[in-house]
């Protein structure tokens, strides 16, 4: 198959096109505005058959911020992807003044990192080597809220054409506090065995803020890990969590 011409909004983009395989072609476009665009192309196969597709529309949309919902009391939450580096501070992510404590457990150091509401209104733990300063995916966070709130967190994902490895997180033997990580924000749940594939684990726990109780997850069950939530998982030996 040969592409004879290809345009976006009337502009020739053939120089941005590359053949992938099996008659598939990739067009790498940069800096398209957030709007609906028109694609037109003509092609021909080896037998001389031609095809013209005129004014096919596609829309470039901004990746929406991720909503983290919290109710009064303790909430066990996580981010599905990492926030932008410039917006990854604990005060950037947990920006509501209704949040007064944020905790995260570091299994390697077997210790808690924390940030609490200070007299100047910011979250922190000044002078401590156990201050929780930044927030990322891979980790779970205990967050204490004094009200029903929804936080909007920008998790931009990969930039177009970025070279990157899929996420993976080294875990230790014993209890680890982990996130539900996914680059697909529409993927609201994953089977627990699929999510923890490759790990030698015996039990995991989520947390239900409505009942103030832990919820048990066992291998080979129909349970799911859910986006926005965090989980305690017990490993019989150290391993690496590789989210699907």
């Amino acid at each position: 198959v040969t592409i004879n011409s290809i345009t976006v909004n009337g502009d020739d983009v053939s120089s941005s096109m590359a053949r992938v395989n099996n008659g598939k072609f990739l067009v790498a476009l940069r800096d398209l505005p957030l709007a609906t665009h028109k694609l037109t192309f003509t092609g021909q196969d080896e037998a001389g058959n031609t095809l013209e597709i005129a004014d096919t529309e596609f829309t470039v949309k901004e990746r929406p911020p991720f909503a983290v919902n919290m109710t009064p009391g303790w909430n066990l939450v996580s981010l599905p992807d990492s926030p932008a580096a410039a917006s990854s501070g604990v005060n950037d992510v947990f920006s509501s003044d209704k949040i007064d404590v944020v905790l995260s457990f570091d299994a390697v150091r077997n210790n808690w990192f924390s940030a609490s509401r200070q007299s100047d209104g910011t979250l922190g733990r000044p002078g401590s080597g156990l201050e929780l300063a930044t927030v990322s995916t891979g980790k779970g966070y205990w967050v204490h809220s004094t009200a029903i709130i929804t936080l909007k967190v920008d998790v931009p994902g990969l930039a177009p054409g970025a070279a990157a490895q899929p996420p993976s997180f080294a875990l230790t033997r014993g209890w680890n506090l982990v996130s539900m990580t996914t680059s697909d924000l529409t993927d609201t749940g994953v089977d627990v065995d699929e999510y923890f594939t490759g790990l030698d684990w015996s039990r995991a726990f989520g947390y239900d803020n409505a009942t103030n109780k832990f919820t048990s997850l066992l291998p080979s069950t129909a349970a799911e890990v859910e986006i926005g939530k965090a989980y305690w998982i017990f490993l019989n030996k150290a391993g690496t969590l590789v989210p699907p």
Side-chain angles (χ1 to χ4, degrees), residues 134-181:
T134 60
V135 178
S136 65
T137 192
K139 298 180 178 295
Y141 298 90
W142 282 105
V143 182
H144 190 268
S145 175
T146 60
I148 298 174
I149 58 173
T150 298
L151 299 178
K152 301 289 188 179
V153 183
D154 182 19
V155 285
L158 292 178
Q165 288 183 324
S168 62
F169 310 106
L171 306 181
T172 67
R173 180 182 180 278
W175 287 109
N176 298 262
L177 184 55
V178 302
S179 67
M180 190 290 202
T181 296

Side-chain angles (χ1 to χ4, degrees), residues 202-221:
S202 54
R203 185 182 292 270
F205 285 101
Y207 182 74
D208 186 344
N209 179 259
T211 61
N212 296 319
K213 291 182 179 179
F214 286 105
T215 57
S216 179
L217 296 84
L218 295 172
S220 302
T221 63

Side-chain angles (χ1 to χ4, degrees), residues 11-130:
D11 297 327
D12 181 10
V13 294
S14 57
S15 61
S16 300
M17 185 178 64
R19 184 163 184 160
V20 182
N21 55 43
N22 298 325
K24 295 181 179 180
F25 294 81
L26 172 69
V27 180
L29 302 176
R30 293 180 179 272
D31 301 324
L32 284 179
L34 302 177
T36 297
H37 305 274
K38 291 185 177 181
L39 170 71
T40 299
F41 72 89
T42 61
Q44 180 176 319
D45 66 15
E46 294 179 351
N49 300 305
T50 61
L51 175 67
E52 179 178 357
I53 302 296
D55 294 339
T56 296
E57 293 187 344
F58 65 94
T59 302
V60 179
K61 296 181 179 180
E62 184 176 10
R63 181 177 164 108
F66 182 69
V68 183
N69 298 313
M70 298 188 196
T71 55
W74 286 103
N75 301 263
L76 186 55
V77 302
S78 71
L79 297 181
D81 210 340
S82 288
S87 304
S88 62
V90 66
N91 285 281
D92 298 316
V93 175
F94 299 112
S95 54
S96 172
D97 61 4
K98 305 303 181 183
I99 295 173
D100 52 14
V101 182
V102 183
L103 305 170
S104 187
F105 182 70
D106 187 322
V108 174
R109 302 187 189 185
N110 192 32
N111 219 328
W112 290 91
F113 284 70
S114 67
S116 58
R117 189 67 59 187
Q118 303 297 303
S119 58
D120 64 358
T122 63
L123 290 168
R125 191 175 173 180
S128 172
L130 297 175

